[in-house]
Amino acid sequence: MSLRDRLGRAIDTDQQKRRLMYERFGVIRNPYPPAGEPTGHPHMETYIEDPIVKAIDAFERDRVSQVLVIEGTQGVGKTNLLNYFQRELQSLHTNEDGYYIIRYYPDPESTFDGILRRVFQEFDAASILTDLARHLNAMSEPEFNTAIAMAQSHEMRSVLAALSEAAGQGDDKLQEVNRVALEWLTGLRILKKHRELLKVNFRLDTVESKTQALRDLVFCCSNAKLLSGLYLLLDELEKQDYSFSKTTVLRYLSAVRALIDALPRHLFLIVGLTIEAKRRYFAMLPAFAGRLQNSVRIDPMKTAEDAVALSNFYLADARAEAVRESAAKPRVRFTDPIGRAEIQALYMSLYEQAAAEKAQEGVTPRDLLHALHQLAEDAISALQ
């Protein structure tokens, strides 16, 4: 039997299945994501967001740096929470109001260079260096000297002076110097063009030197009213622990700590990691623990009612999507693909399995949604 026959494919079969799904369940796809689909989920608001929202409000009011840890076991919803705040922050802010939102997955890397490189690249994409160059070029000489004095590094002051000078020589020259400045900031080796255009002699070849350059750039851009804040969302930091040696992990954690210390203002850092990784990291580097004292913990679902509520939320979201995409009139009643009693029984089964296999109290959303996905597939396949 061919795959086409086994799938029951014929002309317009997919459309017919979607029509049957909508008429019976009010959806046009399986409402529950499988475990292999970690992103694109709807977000169910809970009390967990409250301390994060308060921290964001304080950060944007005072510009004082904030550091938060989102901790929880694998599959508990850390990535979903970070995805939610990334979307909301991008909706709230644009680069025009001076806020930059950067999501990064260190998956895994032996050094912190990749994160710093990403920050510099995001700044370049928003033309922050050229905007700073034009701002400096428009200043009087005393104002200019005061502005670049905020940069602690002599090399960084030379780069800022070169950018300002290029801004007075036309856009082509400014773009050339901007491109070379970005190469220098990201740590490429020093060539003749860097020495001639930027007047620099030393490469940014260490995490410490790149962090210092970022600090200088952030403070100068803030002084020029070009930068209000930098949101940096780091996910799955626990992967460093079992991928590299202890020495490499310590260097990475020290680099995170150094970044926090270098930017006492304008940085909002959210770190997502498992409870076990947090415990090990804090034991490895107490100074790292001292910087990450504000934490938000996400626990597995402890009751069957939590499971029913999560199922209903995903089903309601899928039904709303079906109405939007099919332009159909919403109906009052549909049959649920999985009944309430079946969800409760499924939760209890998963609860016992988690306790026996993981010594875990409760069921993670990932495990529940995957099991619901499989049950919903059975219900959808039975449609005629």
Side-chain angles (χ1 to χ4, degrees), residues 41-244:
H41 299 192
H43 178 72
M44 183 177 177
E45 294 185 15
T46 67
Y47 68 92
I48 294 295
E49 290 93 36
D50 293 343
I52 304 175
V53 172
K54 289 180 181 178
I56 291 173
D57 183 53
F59 172 67
E60 298 196 355
R61 183 191 67 228
D62 302 333
R63 301 290 194 269
V64 176
S65 293
Q66 301 271 352
V67 181
L68 287 174
V69 178
I70 310 297
E71 58 175 310
T73 58
Q74 289 283 358
V76 83
K78 301 184 299 297
T79 297
N80 183 272
L81 185 63
L82 288 174
N83 287 342
Y84 166 75
F85 276 102
Q86 179 186 8
R87 291 194 305 268
E88 292 300 308
L89 287 168
Q90 289 172 339
S91 174
L92 180 64
H93 295 301
T94 63
N95 290 345
E96 282 71 26
D97 61 11
Y99 286 96
Y100 295 82
I101 297 94
I102 300 174
R103 180 71 178 279
Y104 196 84
Y105 299 88
D107 194 22
E109 291 178 314
S110 59
T111 71
F112 198 68
D113 282 359
I115 296 176
L116 296 174
R117 189 184 311 115
R118 172 70 182 279
V119 173
F120 287 130
Q121 289 170 344
E122 289 291 327
F123 283 171
D124 179 64
S127 303
I128 198 169
L129 286 177
T130 55
D131 290 343
L132 179 61
R134 295 187 180 101
H135 176 81
L136 294 173
N137 183 256
M139 290 180 168
S140 64
E141 185 174 349
E143 291 173 333
F144 171 79
N145 292 333
T146 301
I148 68 169
M150 298 194 71
Q152 295 180 350
S153 164
H154 170 73
E155 299 280 276
M156 191 65 188
R157 291 195 293 271
S158 296
V159 171
L160 294 175
L163 285 165
S164 175
E165 181 181 352
Q169 299 176 11
D171 288 344
D172 290 343
K173 185 66 173 180
L174 178 57
Q175 292 301 326
E176 180 186 6
V177 175
N178 175 75
R179 183 173 61 255
V180 175
L182 179 64
E183 293 176 356
W184 178 75
L185 286 169
T186 53
L188 297 186
R189 66 189 183 93
I190 296 291
L191 300 175
K192 180 180 179 181
K193 61 181 178 180
H194 300 102
R195 295 189 178 92
E196 292 180 349
L197 293 175
L198 303 179
K199 306 296 190 292
V200 294
N201 296 304
F202 300 100
R203 173 189 177 190
L204 298 183
D205 56 357
T206 66
V207 171
E208 187 276 334
S209 61
K210 291 189 181 73
T211 302
Q212 187 61 54
L214 176 62
R215 179 262 174 211
D216 290 343
L217 183 59
V218 166
F219 276 68
C220 289
C221 290
S222 172
N223 184 59
K225 302 294 190 286
L226 297 174
L227 184 143
S228 301
L230 170 63
Y231 286 94
L232 183 57
L233 286 66
L234 302 183
D235 198 5
E236 300 184 354
L237 206 62
E238 68 274 1
K239 292 186 177 180
Q240 303 297 119
D241 187 32
Y242 51 75
S243 300
F244 299 108

Side-chain angles (χ1 to χ4, degrees), residues 281-298:
Y281 290 169
F282 282 17
M284 283 183 190
L285 189 66
F288 183 72
R291 305 304 189 277
L292 277 71
Q293 295 190 33
N294 293 334
S295 64
V296 177
R297 182 163 177 166
I298 308 176

